Amino acid sequence: MKIAVLSRNPRLYSTRRLVEAGQLRGHEMVVIDTLRAYMNIASHKPQIHYRGKPLEGFDAVIPRIGASVTFYGCAVLRQFEMMGVFPLNESVAIARSRDKLRSLQLLSRRGIGLPVTGFAHSPDDIADLIDMVNGAPLVIKVLEGTQGIGVVLCETATAAESVIEAFMGLKQDIMVQEYIKEAGGADIRCFVVGDKVIAAMKRQAKPGEFRSNLHRGGSASLIKITPEERMTAIRAAKVMGLSVAGVDILRSNHGPLVMEVNSSPGLEGIETTTGKDVASLVIQHLEKNSGPNLTRTKGKG
Ligand code: ADP
């Protein structure tokens, strides 16, 4: 197959590994810098141009779209879909997964376990918002945060009120969430491909920290997940419409709770921790499922 990898940088670990794994399995792999592709959207024959030439003959496209380029990245991916090229994840599903409020609403509607969560922009009654999610301790998150930045643990309602006021001053959308203390500063990343969890790792926060992000000094280790956790991860990816997803789960006293479903999950942590060839499994998934004009939505919806 001829496979495009939409990525800003061919040297990134995940991009390199996908290219390597694809080549090893006999495919032609072409990395396309998402932001440099341009397209004619008004033509009857949808096209994408890159470095002065039209992109042609692709069977599949692997989107590796960073949060900061979601909007343009999804437009480029949609154009591939309109050309009949098979996407590993559809543009509609990626856009959906990048909207945290919408994602949690979709997951809750389908009965997936979530931490009790409130959303707000400028709540006119902060005390009531805090009560609504059962009071302190609470985790407050800025909606656009990544890598644990803008995620604050407030032990008391007074602290929570101050933090909410501070974020309100910055005109940020915020999420107010029940603190899952029993998770013990750990979360589980389940890497879903198709209808399987093909690898899982536990991320543990450093002592004195509750955020397990590797960027915040957390460490990763192998973990055996329960059948319930496995089912939850697979269902969460399915509800989001993602074929490949990183589902982050907290272990609570009342079962697995989904924190986030990531549509461009990184390969480095999961491959190094589990020793699995995740990149090759992703390519094999494409081999099995791709075909011309098989996109369910063709960018609609
Ligand atoms: P980001 O998307 O920036 O990584 P997260 O929402 O994933 O932010 O939060 C960062 C980390 O903080 C998580 O990996 C988890 O370890 C911890 N955390 C987040 N929310 C909660 C919560 N409600 N209860 C307990 N720990 C949490």
Side-chain angles (χ1 to χ4, degrees):
M1 294 199 288
K2 184 170 171 185
I3 303 174
V5 183
L6 277 182
S7 165
R8 294 258 31 228
N9 183 352
R11 288 181 296 280
L12 293 176
Y13 179 94
S14 302
T15 310
R16 270 196 293 118
R17 285 286 302 123
L18 288 162
V19 167
E20 208 172 85
Q23 286 169 343
L24 268 175
R25 297 189 60 83
H27 304 298
E28 182 186 346
M29 306 297 292
V30 184
V31 178
I32 291 161
D33 180 346
T34 321
L35 293 187
R36 297 202 179 272
Y38 49 101
M39 52 222 165
N40 179 350
I41 54 162
S43 126
H44 291 302
K45 187 169 168 283
Q47 273 192 331
I48 303 174
H49 279 231
Y50 190 64
R51 298 196 168 137
K53 291 199 189 78
L55 294 175
E56 279 167 349
F58 284 94
D59 300 292
V61 50
I62 301 179
R64 298 284 321 164
I65 297 174
S68 60
V69 298
T70 300
F71 185 74
Y72 193 74
C74 283
V76 175
L77 181 59
R78 194 151 51 234
Q79 189 82 353
F80 269 108
E81 291 165 6
M82 289 166 67
M83 289 158 59
V85 181
F86 184 82
L88 180 67
N89 276 330
E90 296 190 15
S91 56
V92 170
I94 295 175
R96 192 186 284 143
S97 76
R98 292 290 160 82
D99 179 338
K100 286 194 189 178
L101 172 50
R102 186 169 177 209
S103 300
L104 293 189
Q105 285 172 327
L106 284 169
L107 294 167
S108 85
R109 195 168 76 187
R110 303 293 288 275
I112 309 260
L114 304 172
V116 176
T117 304
F119 273 93
H121 180 81
S122 316
D124 59 5
D125 189 338
I126 297 180
D128 184 45
L129 170 66
I130 293 173
D131 278 351
M132 199 171 85
V133 293
N134 305 332
L138 281 177
V139 177
I140 300 178
K141 305 182 184 183
V142 183
L143 230 50
E144 275 106 90
T146 52
Q147 301 173 351
I149 294 167
V151 178
V152 187
L153 172 61
C154 301
E155 307 270 6
T156 64
T158 322
E161 277 196 40
S162 309
V163 171
I164 294 171
E165 274 165 9
F167 284 147
M168 268 170 71
L170 299 169
K171 305 210 180 316
Q172 290 279 344
D173 290 333
I174 49 164
M175 205 155 109
V176 184
Q177 198 165 63
E178 159 195 23
Y179 173 50
I180 310 300
K181 188 163 194 279
E182 62 270 27
D187 72 352
I188 301 170
R189 160 58 63 95
C190 296
F191 202 106
V192 177
V193 176
D195 54 4
K196 287 200 178 78
V197 174
I198 54 126
M201 66 176 169
K202 174 176 161 177
R203 292 176 300 202
Q204 178 70 53
K206 65 181 183 196
E209 170 64 75
F210 79 103
R211 296 167 300 177
S212 61
N213 305 69
L214 305 183
H215 288 92
R216 306 264 76 74
S219 54
S221 59
L222 259 181
I223 190 172
K224 193 166 160 34
I225 58 171
T226 65
E228 195 189 2
E229 287 160 352
R230 188 173 293 278
M231 274 311 296
T232 302
I234 295 166
R235 283 193 57 220
K238 208 178 166 72
V239 168
M240 300 302 299
L242 293 166
S243 311
V244 169
V247 182
D248 294 339
I249 286 180
L250 290 169
R251 271 187 177 166
S252 84
N253 290 337
H254 45 284
L257 303 178
V258 171
M259 238 183 342
E260 192 170 15
V261 183
N262 195 314
S263 54
S264 288
L267 298 188
E268 186 166 13
I270 197 89
E271 285 199 334
T272 342
T273 307
T274 63
K276 295 211 169 127
D277 189 345
V278 173
S280 178
L281 293 168
V282 168
I283 302 288
Q284 289 173 48
H285 173 82
L286 272 185
E287 290 168 6
K288 272 198 216 97
N289 294 281
S290 94
N293 297 306
L294 280 182
T295 315
R296 269 174 294 156
T297 54
K298 293 210 176 53
K300 288 185 294 214

